[in-house]
Amino acid sequence: MTINRQLVLCTLASYLSSLPGEDLQHQVECLDAFSATGLMGLTWKKRFKSTVNVTVCDNNDTAIRLIEENCSLNNVCTRTTPFCSAERTRPTYYYKGANSNCEAEAKENQSHEKDSRVNGAADAAIEVLHTDANIILHQRGFDFVHLDPYGSAVNFLDATFRNTRNGGIVTVTATDISSLFGKCPQVTLRNYCSFNLKTEYVKETAARILISAVVRAAAKCNKGIEVLVTAALEHFVFVAVKIHRGAKFADMCVNKIQEVLHCQICEERVFLPDSHAPLENAYLLLPCDCHKEKPGKTAVKLGPLWSGDLYNSEFIHSMLCETNECHNKNEKLSSLLQSMLAESQCTSASDFGHQMTAASTTLNASHSMADKRGLANSLGINLSDRTECDIDNNSRLNFEVNDDTEKIGEEENFTQRKKRKRNDFDVEPTMPAFYYNTHQHSLARKDIIRADKMVQMLRSQGYKASRTHFDSQSVRTSATLGQIKEMVLKYARLGKNDS
């Protein structure tokens, strides 16, 4: 689960770097709802110090003891709160520390009757709650919440979105792989109100099913979500979403939950239209002709699941820049994020490599959390030294920064910057849904085409294409399976003629 903790840390770092200066005047409230040993909360506090107010929560006596011991070993004060759900009075704080400074500070503030007496200790301490996660989530609001329970997280989603603040981020790690991957259909239906099968794109289907559960929970609180990061690695599924308050945002997100028609013969797939009227012949929506060649029901419905984008390219840009600071150029994490970024833009990871190399040479040496806009912030470019930037790839992200860019953050009103237009929120997905396994759809073993070669061939034909982190042998593309097979057959014929 190391990669999971690194993803959460980079998500929090990117979120803090995107906040305007007015928000950073107050501590960002962060909650690790299932802390266990307290490793996640300790990492946040050691990395971001007084910028964040870290709260760790667990309902196990052994876990609370381990959290206090680990904080003591790392010279971090703990602020243990005996939280009682029946009383709404202000709780009493008990301070514990490893060094003499923390202990002296705790004794000095033993009364805790006035806020002015505990402000210094509170900033340097981690708050430890011995309570159920649903209780604290229902009664307090946070800016950043991380859910990593044992198994499914659906039991905690309703409480999470009740008080999480507008513009905040919720990260969810689900480890109930058996239900998400369709091995236990009844459990999937009971927990996620969805149906899944073991297909070649089962990992992405699992991630979209988890996002659909997150969307429903947020919509109950009149909140919409924007998916920032999605990952399905090892034995977990990770999702990070940003909250947008408003019934309109909630309706837009709910409308993006659709069913998928999956052909059980060739594994072609298509989203079913969002219509209340029954479809006369749903098989006609599939680009294949298996229903004509084979008798019986050749297709099955999967879902409902999320049909929108799985990534925010600008946010992942920012995560890539923060990776170097948080993890000392962790190659595995950087490779994963580059793959996600190429996937979100449907470009190959190799094309993005020299772009990041060029951008990293112009990183601002005094990289801070000040206001910067758009891609300039995500790439970390020093605006005073370089006033024009041209990123030439398939997405053609070209922009110019003039000398007045630094003044934009001061001139614009904070509420205007935070407001998101509905038209910009309700946009069509920019990346093709699902992917195809190159080995499974090859003509013969000797005719297997490498994924990179397949991406180049598809892009040369005008299709969107990129590799995917869900499966190293698969390609995400806007082409249909029939078009892919025609291209593979043409490639095989050319190879025979050359030989």
Side-chain angles (χ1 to χ4, degrees), residues 8 16-17 19 63 90 101 121 138 164 168 179 189 238 251 261 264 271 287 307 336 369 421 426:
V8 176
L16 293 176
S17 65
L19 291 177
R90 186 164 177 252
N101 294 333
H138 271 296
T164 305
S179 59
L189 184 63
F238 172 81
D251 294 339
L261 189 62
Q264 300 184 83
F271 277 108
S307 63
L336 175 63
M369 298 179 182
K421 294 182 179 179
D426 189 19

Side-chain angles (χ1 to χ4, degrees), residues 205-223:
T205 309
R208 291 181 181 273
I209 289 176
L210 177 60
I211 296 174
S212 66
V214 172
V215 169
R216 293 190 193 96
K220 295 175 185 177
C221 304
N222 290 332
K223 296 176 181 178

